[in-house]
Amino acid sequence: MCGIVAYIGDEKAGPILFDTLKRLEYRGYDSAGVAVKSDGAIEVIKSAGRIADLEKVYMALGSPGESMGIGHTRWATHGRPSDRNAHPHTSGEVAIVHNGIIENYLDLRELLTEMGYEFQSETDSEVLAHLINFYYQGDLLSAVSRALERVEGSYAIAVLAASSPYLVCARKDSPLVLGRGEGATYVASDVPALLPYTKDVIRMKDGEIACVYDDRVELRDLAGVPHAAEVERITWDADAAERGGYPHFMLKEIHEQPRAIRETIAGRISEINGDVRLPLGMSDEETASLERVTIIACGTSYHAGMLARYLFARAAGLPVDVEVASEFQHLQVRPKTLLLGITQSGETADTLMALKKAKTCCMRSLAITNVVGSTVTELVNATIYTRCGPEIGVAATKTFTSQLVALILLAVRLGRARGHLTPDQARKMLIELTKLPGLVQRVLEKREEIREIAEAYADAGCYFFIGRDYLYPISLEGALKMKEIAYIPSEGYAGGELKHGPLALITDNTPVVALATCGRKIQSNIKEVRARGADVIALASEGDPDIGKVASVVIELPETRPVFSAVLCTVVVQLLAYYTANKLGLPIDKPRNLAKCVTVE
Ligand code: M6R
């Protein structure tokens, strides 16, 4: 997730671009840049670091440029944060800013290199600048349309050419909003950036391309068929707008999960080979010789690691040890072990210290993280990015479900390299995985039902979450979310463990959330707690004939593979915790005593 902006009007573009970029900083902040039209040429100012620092450089240069420009604030997905990887990217007299992922960029890069184009960055986005330049012969709209026909993936782009009297914008699977003002048109990834300038916005639709002038916008599809522009009057205040109209970042981030999962999968599946493209930093022979995996993580990331224990054993025949990072010092790693660190921030001190200690005795090390260039990436042989964009709420939501998806992709790659999965088995699983974002969307549509249940139990003295198999880690995650933001003492338990002690805590004021989409054994645990007076909120697959007979309330979820249903159950437990905390009037995005990133041991 990055932020892009553009301006064309009768004022100097630079100050407006910086002002709008600062309002998009929540979308990314590792590097920034602007390109402005100046004396018939394009001037680009960009660097790694915060927007405010870049703005000082711009002012020190005498605030160059006229009344037309584009800007970008980056959240790296391809290539670490650096001056060269910062946008805008240029080619000849063309400059572009891009938000999204160009999936076929390696093929395009090879082709353009053969044609003589020299690449300055490691980004996927730079191919767009060269492709547009290749087609540009004075008609920017036609050049951008032809370039986009060659591109697979997601994009929101703004394009500037020194000799073009208008800007071009286009979108597919990444947001882009045009704002119409008096004698000026503003462009941004999201509404908040535009509100100080105009409340009249046009939300571009997928597949649309726009010629942007100071006094009008002309919308078309890529085939050139004109579209009518629907102008919407925004009524939110600026604060709510930054959260996309959601009352809290956590709720916004919960709703971003279909997109986050899609981006985590993007460009990584090869249906033809029934395999996954992932940088493991080792050959298939080395992968086949692995004897086990040791996973190190904290908190929610640790729960993702726990799910991998079941997954890697089944898909790749690999036993897994999962260690809480702060306890790792007491353990030994065996040889022929793959070490895997999971950390959304890439900066958690406990995880970094444990990885440093363990990596010397492991065969290879990997990280799964959301932050390109974070410290963890320097400690390991290879990194798998989850590509969620920044997560602002302290409670991990979209970063967790994307970690689960990254682990599923990794399990398939390991399984294929080790000959544990056939291409056909892998292909079937991967095709189903591509449907997961749509299933998550269907769960999100149940939010009102989940809100009513959460509010009905908001005064509970204690909550239990139970699950078996893939759903045991999700029961732990449900309990962590409930503790973290609703401050309700909560326990996550493997269903079969209840009778070994915790059953003593069950009363009629202890709601039990039973994750019941994986197998039927959990039903006996439901009966055990019902017999002790507890209400049971069961999460079950649609059409389960028996669950209604044993549970007090049933939330039906789309039927899918057990491991994918872990993602669907996660969304429900996130919403349950969210609506409980909301009913209790708690500070959801910044719960007491907690920090988003824990950089002390
Ligand atoms: O950045 P990390 O994934 O390494 O963070 C680990 C934990 O601090 C984190 O998951 C924490 O448990 C979350 N606040 C839970 O919502």
Side-chain angles (χ1 to χ4, degrees):
M1 193 158 95
C2 302
I4 70 175
V5 300
Y7 172 79
I8 180 166
D10 49 15
E11 289 182 56
K12 198 185 248 297
I16 294 171
L17 294 175
F18 278 108
D19 183 55
T20 46
L21 278 178
K22 281 186 217 156
R23 292 169 209 281
L24 285 182
E25 233 173 349
Y26 71 94
R27 297 180 66 86
Y29 40 73
D30 61 45
S31 37
V34 296
V36 285
K37 214 164 170 175
S38 180
D39 287 334
I42 286 176
E43 181 134 4
V44 177
I45 301 154
K46 62 180 188 173
S47 71
R50 310 296 287 219
I51 296 164
D53 296 330
L54 188 76
E55 189 179 19
K56 285 183 198 142
V57 176
Y58 169 80
M59 289 192 305
L61 290 171
S63 308
E66 293 141 20
S67 53
M68 186 170 172
I70 58 179
H72 190 270
T73 177
R74 183 164 185 251
W75 177 263
T77 57
H78 290 69
R80 61 180 47 244
S82 70
D83 293 358
R84 277 151 56 109
N85 289 337
H87 296 219
H89 293 292
T90 55
S91 182
E93 62 160 304
V94 171
I96 66 114
V97 287
H98 168 228
N99 170 34
I101 294 174
I102 306 300
E103 291 176 20
N104 59 338
Y105 85 101
L106 285 173
D107 295 342
L108 291 171
R109 191 175 170 120
E110 208 177 293
L111 187 80
L112 287 157
T113 306
E114 275 167 24
M115 287 160 60
Y117 283 99
E118 281 179 24
F119 280 78
Q120 307 299 322
S121 75
E122 306 154 295
T123 65
D124 55 329
S125 311
E126 193 182 347
V127 297
L128 283 171
H130 296 310
L131 259 187
I132 295 167
N133 174 258
F134 173 71
Y135 287 116
Y136 186 52
Q137 286 172 341
D139 180 347
L140 191 59
L141 176 68
S142 152
V144 177
S145 304
R146 293 183 70 187
L148 291 178
E149 279 165 15
R150 316 268 324 238
V151 160
E152 289 163 25
S154 58
Y155 53 78
I157 54 170
V159 188
L160 174 70
S163 60
S164 172
Y166 57 85
L167 297 164
V168 173
C169 293
R171 76 154 275 184
K172 179 176 167 260
D173 293 332
S174 289
L176 199 57
V177 185
L178 312 174
R180 283 287 306 118
E182 278 294 306
T185 306
Y186 307 82
V187 180
S189 296
D190 221 334
V191 172
L194 302 179
L195 289 185
Y197 300 97
T198 177
K199 291 192 182 275
D200 293 327
V201 304
I202 301 155
R203 293 176 196 271
M204 287 187 71
K205 298 192 182 79
D206 270 350
E208 282 186 336
I209 185 163
C211 282
V212 179
Y213 296 87
D214 56 359
D215 61 349
R216 67 189 188 284
V217 295
E218 294 172 359
L219 288 174
R220 298 173 173 78
D221 61 22
L222 286 187
V225 178
H227 284 192
E230 290 164 25
V231 181
E232 181 189 338
R233 182 90 184 151
I234 297 294
T235 51
W236 307 330
D237 65 23
D239 262 9
E242 188 173 314
R243 296 186 300 269
Y246 290 98
H248 299 97
F249 277 108
M250 181 180 175
L251 192 59
K252 176 172 183 268
E253 286 155 3
I254 289 173
H255 282 80
E256 282 172 352
Q257 289 178 112
R259 176 186 298 278
I261 293 171
R262 219 173 268 127
E263 301 264 304
T264 301
I265 298 171
R268 288 174 164 163
I269 290 179
S270 164
E271 262 189 50
I272 297 172
N273 300 332
D275 208 339
V276 168
R277 298 182 201 103
L278 280 181
L280 300 193
M282 58 185 157
S283 65
D284 278 8
E285 290 68 38
E286 286 174 294
T287 309
S289 73
L290 288 172
E291 287 180 1
R292 58 194 310 113
V293 179
T294 293
I295 297 180
I296 292 174
C298 302
T300 290
S301 296
Y302 172 75
H303 299 152
M306 284 187 69
L307 182 126
R309 180 190 284 161
Y310 301 85
L311 187 58
F312 288 6
R314 286 178 182 140
L318 272 169
V320 179
D321 306 305
V322 193
E323 313 295 353
V324 171
S326 54
E327 288 299 309
F328 184 73
Q329 51 187 318
H330 311 301
L331 300 163
Q332 291 300 320
V333 176
R334 298 179 223 183
K336 296 212 172 178
T337 295
L338 170 68
L339 179 67
L340 173 60
I342 308 178
T343 162
Q344 75 81 22
S345 63
E347 303 293 348
T348 299
D350 287 333
T351 305
L352 298 182
M353 285 312 291
L355 284 174
K356 271 185 206 158
K357 179 168 182 278
K359 76 172 199 174
T360 47
C361 33
C362 284
M363 199 173 111
R364 279 282 184 280
S365 54
L366 271 182
I368 295 180
T369 186
N370 191 38
V371 184
V372 175
S374 55
T375 307
V376 75
T377 65
E378 289 159 15
L379 294 180
V380 292
N381 300 117
T383 302
I384 301 167
Y385 291 109
T386 46
R387 305 170 176 165
C388 296
E391 189 173 70
I392 311 282
V394 163
T397 53
K398 62 177 178 173
T399 53
F400 176 63
T401 45
S402 297
Q403 285 170 349
L404 299 184
V405 169
L407 286 166
I408 293 167
L409 293 172
L410 177 58
V412 173
R413 179 76 273 277
L414 292 171
R416 289 286 290 109
R418 295 165 62 78
H420 206 83
L421 285 181
T422 64
D424 211 42
Q425 287 170 320
R427 188 175 301 114
K428 280 192 189 130
M429 186 159 171
L430 294 169
I431 290 172
E432 255 185 82
L433 181 64
T434 59
K435 300 193 178 121
L436 188 56
L439 302 186
V440 170
Q441 189 59 45
R442 282 178 55 197
V443 177
L444 289 170
E445 280 153 21
K446 290 179 171 278
R447 60 187 158 261
E448 273 309 295
E449 182 185 336
I450 299 168
R451 184 183 60 74
E452 279 172 25
I453 296 167
E455 291 183 355
Y457 292 103
D459 59 358
C462 168
Y463 245 101
F464 262 73
F465 292 77
I466 57 171
R468 287 171 174 259
D469 204 310
Y470 290 121
L471 302 182
Y472 168 42
I474 309 307
S475 72
L476 297 175
E477 177 60 8
L480 177 60
K481 286 285 148 304
M482 196 59 91
K483 286 183 262 214
E484 190 178 20
I485 60 162
Y487 309 159
I488 296 182
S490 302
E491 295 278 3
Y493 258 92
E497 274 291 288
L498 275 184
K499 55 186 175 296
H500 299 293
L503 211 47
L505 287 177
I506 300 292
T507 67
D508 58 4
N509 192 24
T510 315
V512 177
V513 179
L515 310 179
T517 57
C518 264
R520 305 171 58 79
K521 267 190 158 178
I522 195 82
Q523 293 195 5
S524 42
N525 308 122
I526 296 178
K527 287 179 196 155
E528 283 163 11
V529 295
R530 287 299 307 272
R532 271 102 189 149
D535 278 0
V536 171
I537 304 157
L539 278 51
S541 295
E542 279 163 356
D544 184 321
D546 303 318
I547 196 77
K549 296 178 199 148
V550 289
S552 331
V553 188
V554 179
I555 300 173
E556 290 200 323
L557 304 179
E559 194 166 0
T560 181
R561 277 179 194 251
V563 65
F564 299 162
S565 80
V567 175
L568 304 185
C569 287
T570 301
V571 177
V572 178
V573 298
Q574 291 168 347
L575 287 169
L576 271 177
Y578 172 81
Y579 285 119
T580 306
N582 195 47
K583 173 80 178 168
L584 297 172
L586 296 170
I588 290 173
D589 285 333
K590 290 188 180 147
R592 72 182 173 214
N593 305 339
L594 299 179
K596 182 69 188 161
C597 180
V598 186
T599 53
V600 287
E601 277 186 90

